[in-house]
Structure formats: structure tokens, C-alpha cells
Amino acid sequence: MKKFLVFGLIVLLFAQIAVARPYRVRVFLDSPAAAQRVTDSGLGLFSDNVAIPVTDLIVEPRQFPELWALRVPYQVIQLLPPNDAWKYEGLSDSDEYQSQYLRYENIIAKYDAWMSENPDLITKIQIGTTIQNRPIYAYRIFKNYRFDQVSPPRNAVFFCGIHAREWISPSVGMYVMDMLIQDLRNPSSQMHQKLADKCAVSIIPSLNPDGYVYTWDSVRLWRKNRRPNGGSSYGVDLNRNWPTGWNTGGGSSGNTNSETYRGPSPASERETQAARDYALSLQKVVAFIDFHSYGEYILWPWAYTNTVAAGASWLHTYGLQMQAAIAGVHGHTYTEGQAYQVLYEADGTTKDYFYSQFNAAAYTIELRDTGDYGFLLPEAQIFATQQEGYAGAKALLAAVVP
Ligand code: 0X9
Ligand code: ZN
């Protein structure tokens, strides 16, 4: 009997190691120094940021020594599902994108289908290639009645999927494209009147395809890209790699294992270079949105410094217009303000670059939710969040195009 018990325990132990389910662990931080130790650690973030006094982390069983080394009080909150348990079965090869998340190839197939149905509106540009050889695309939508006018006077640029695990971001990007097509086919719509002959919108469906694929096939809560950093360390945070303010303030890390590793140099990553060079190739970028999750925020520059941006009053005015438009859909009032102040300090982020380089109305939108499900937003909330994302984008386009 005893023998069987021991055998059973051994089997259980192996099962535990084989599955290696991560834990959600709450740490209590009483100082900026303690917060920085967490930022510099290789532990995953379950919260949307490292905050004083409470932050939730994702800790693999093998990482507990690293947790202890932080010398902070902690409490295990829950056992998270196994890393490979997030694969969506069944419908995942369909192109129905308003009630389910899609794999990368299905996202691109969806945009390609829209493009072939609307060749007069949409063009596709391969803007780069990832380290794992996946193409990175931008799709640009523009209604032109004046064929003498080769390129439009203005451009808006929307990024999706910089952070791999924020699946609702590419999902919102698809809805924005779908709605823009419908609006530009309807001469009486508000967006048609705003955009036709005046402004093109470029959407990058996923700026981090390697990371996104990795979250589907291996580690659901992966955030960074998949650059090998040496040894067993992978990934650069593509929202800490941009040149503006790179490594000047705080809120990024030089530790290659960190979730907010900024990379070896500004714009070191192919994804950053691809998106930067594409934006630079456009004649005039007037608006920019980087879609993230979660938290329900509308954030404008600066994120790298507490200094108030020169154009802050109009950034704030447009931010409030986006906030009202989003609240008008389902009553969710997204928190609006300067990123550094209402969320946290972060250097080398996208919107700081778009504001400093182009003087664009540049925003990060943190989509749903406020923390109940976090990055694991249920499919039942996809459509409502897409509507909110489009409402925000529309309000911004309406504000920047005269
Ligand atoms: O940390 C980030 O890159 C963004 N949050 S997320 O949870 N999606 O990772 C926030 C970027 C916005 N800027 C700052 N508040 N710094
Ligand atoms: Zn993000």
C-alpha cells in the first residue's frame, strides 16, 4: 500500500513538472527601489504595470528563487492554467473575427480578402521581416476621387499587437479596417466626408508576429518579441525600443530577461525599424494610435518624462473627445491623461516617438478590461471592445482632419 502511495506521489510530482503551471503571485512594494527590482527581474507581469504598493506577477515554479531574491512580501493568488492550455479549438480556422480571436495567418488572410474585395481602397505593403522570417505588413486604406492626387495630404497610423499577449489589439485593428471600408463605401457617412481625398489610414495588423504566434503555440502570456538574447533569454519589449527617450528615465530595463527589456540600442529591433521606416515614408503623419490592453486608458505623451508636452492642451482636448466617444458606446469611461502621470513612467515608447518625430496626435489606448480578466479577455467581450476601439479611432480622425 505504502509503495503505491510513494509511486503515486512520484507520478504526481512528474505531472506537476511536465505541466509546470505558472502562479499568479501578488507582491507588496513599499519603495521605488523595490519596484525597480521587480522591473529588472525576469518574472512575468500579470498586472498591466509594476506599481507601488501592489503588483501581480506570473511566476513559473522554477522561478521561485528569483521571487525570493526580490526580498518583498508576497502572496500566491491563484494557479494559472498551463501555458499550452490557451489554444482555441474549433472555430480557429474560420474568419469570423468578432466573436473569437484569430491566429496570425488568419488575421492576414482576412485583410487580404478585404483588399481583394476593395482594390480601389486598400493597398498592402510589406514593411519588414521578423527575426523568425515572418513578414510584417501594413494595410493602407484611402478613398481617392481625384486621380491627379497621387498621395493623400495626411496619414493616420495605427499599430496593433506590439505586445504579443494582448490579443484584443489585433482584433480591434481588424474591426477598424472593416468599418473604415464600410464608411468609405458610404458617401453619407461622417468618416467618408472626413477622409475621402484627405487622409489615408495605415493599420499594422500585428507588429509582433513572432511573439503573437508564440502566445498561441507555447506561452500564452508572452509579451516581447522573440529575439534571442543569448543563453536562454529571449525577447525585447517593442514598446521600450523606440528612440525617443530611450533609456533616459525609468520604466525600462537593461536585463535581457526583463519583461520591459529595452534592447541593446534604440530601434535595435526589426519590428521597430520596419514600422519607423514605414511611418517616415509617409508624407505627413497627423494621428497615431498604438492599441494595447488592458486597463481602459487613453494615454498621450510624454511617457518618458513628467514634463508636460508642448502640445498638451490639444492632446488633452482630443483625448477627451475620444473618451466621450468610447463612453458613448457601452458606458465605459476610459481614464484619459498624460501617460507618465495617469499610468506610469516608460521610456522608448511608440507614442513619444510619433509625437516628437511628426508632431502627431499620438496615443496609446489600453483596451478592456480593468483587471478582472486582464490579458485573457473573454471572447464574449471582443465585439464590445472592437466597437469602443473604433469609436476612439473615429473621434481622433474627426479631430485631426479639418
Ligand atoms: O507598458 C506598456 O508598454 C503599456 N502598457 S501594457 O500593459 N499594454 O504593456 C503602456 C504604455 C503607455 N505608456 C506609459 N504609461 N508609459
Ligand atoms: Zn501592451
Side-chain angles (χ1 to χ4, degrees), residues 163 166 223 292-293 366:
H163 287 147
E166 299 165 12
R223 166 182 170 100
H292 286 253
S293 71
E366 296 282 353

Side-chain angles (χ1 to χ4, degrees), residues 29-209:
L29 309 173
D30 61 0
S31 65
Q36 191 60 42
R37 288 203 297 279
V38 174
T39 298
D40 284 336
S41 79
L43 302 171
L45 263 185
F46 191 92
S47 295
D48 64 337
N49 61 305
V50 177
I52 298 168
V54 170
T55 298
D56 285 2
L57 301 176
I58 304 159
V59 184
E60 307 276 348
R62 61 175 171 82
Q63 290 178 311
F64 270 84
E66 203 175 339
L67 174 69
W68 301 327
L70 295 174
R71 290 175 283 109
V72 295
Y74 73 89
Q75 181 188 348
V76 175
I77 302 289
Q78 72 184 115
L79 187 57
L80 291 165
N83 274 329
D84 60 0
W86 299 97
K87 292 176 197 168
Y88 279 74
E89 307 292 348
L91 288 169
S92 62
D93 59 353
S94 135
D95 65 350
E96 208 305 283
Y97 76 95
Q98 297 180 359
S99 60
Q100 62 173 344
Y101 296 108
L102 298 189
R103 284 188 167 273
Y104 183 61
E105 63 268 26
N106 294 332
I107 293 175
I108 296 304
K110 189 83 201 159
Y111 278 87
D112 284 348
W114 282 322
M115 183 176 64
S116 51
E117 289 156 15
N118 301 279
D120 56 322
L121 292 183
I122 301 173
T123 48
K124 175 186 191 177
I125 308 102
Q126 182 175 349
I127 62 172
T129 307
T130 68
I131 218 157
Q132 293 178 351
N133 257 323
R134 288 191 180 85
I136 307 169
Y137 298 113
Y139 291 80
R140 185 162 180 261
I141 179 164
F142 177 49
K143 178 81 189 166
N144 190 6
Y145 293 110
R146 296 177 43 198
F147 292 100
D148 56 314
Q149 190 181 295
V150 178
S151 62
R154 298 173 197 84
N155 289 275
V157 176
F158 299 156
F159 284 2
C160 304
I162 265 204
H163 287 147
R165 63 192 173 191
E166 299 165 12
W167 286 6
I168 191 61
S169 163
S171 181
V172 162
M174 282 188 278
Y175 186 74
V176 171
M177 179 55 88
D178 199 355
M179 291 304 108
L180 285 175
I181 295 167
Q182 294 186 26
D183 279 351
L184 291 179
R185 288 262 168 257
N186 170 14
S188 60
S189 75
Q190 182 211 10
M191 275 298 104
H192 184 282
Q193 285 158 20
K194 272 287 164 187
L195 300 179
D197 281 331
K198 290 194 216 144
C199 183
V201 179
S202 293
I203 301 180
I204 300 181
S206 166
L207 190 43
N208 181 10

